[in-house]
Amino acid sequence: MPINRELISILVCPVTKLSLRLLSKSNLQILNQIISEGNLENAAGQRVDSPFSQALITQNNTMIYPVRDGIPIMLENQAIPVNQLEGKISIT
């Protein structure tokens, strides 16, 4: 189930308080490939082992939040710090 666009417009990052946008499909595919290879950790330092159906990224491109079954997981410890993806995905 895709996330509601109206919901995206009112959500903010719990850390930075910046607005969010959907991660592009191409970057989501790359992110899920990295997850399948076992090479991704969340902000709590735990390995991420389930692919994302969608993801939200902060406007300053620093944090990615998973969306599962149309529900954004807006917990700081579940966020993916983008700095570990440098050179792997193109964030613009």
Side-chain angles (χ1 to χ4, degrees):
M1 168 191 311
I3 188 171
N4 181 305
R5 295 266 180 194
E6 282 184 42
L7 180 59
I8 296 171
S9 70
I10 61 172
L11 287 175
V12 296
C13 170
V15 177
T16 66
K17 308 299 186 227
L18 294 172
S19 59
L20 302 160
R21 68 180 189 283
L22 277 173
L23 188 66
S24 71
K25 287 185 180 188
S26 60
N27 281 332
L28 183 64
Q29 288 176 329
I30 295 167
L31 183 68
N32 283 332
Q33 178 63 37
I34 294 167
I35 290 170
S36 72
E37 294 167 357
N39 296 323
L40 192 68
E41 291 185 351
N42 61 24
Q46 300 167 326
R47 194 176 113 221
V48 178
D49 54 9
S50 297
F52 300 166
S53 59
Q54 289 182 298
L56 299 171
I57 187 167
T58 56
Q59 290 298 328
N60 67 349
N61 302 321
T62 59
M63 302 293 270
I64 295 174
Y65 292 91
V67 176
R68 303 220 188 270
D69 298 322
I71 301 169
I73 311 301
M74 302 301 300
L75 300 171
E76 180 179 354
N77 66 347
Q78 296 297 305
I80 307 299
V82 172
N83 62 357
Q84 67 182 307
L85 301 169
E86 288 179 11
K88 298 177 182 175
I89 64 174
S90 173
I91 305 291
T92 57

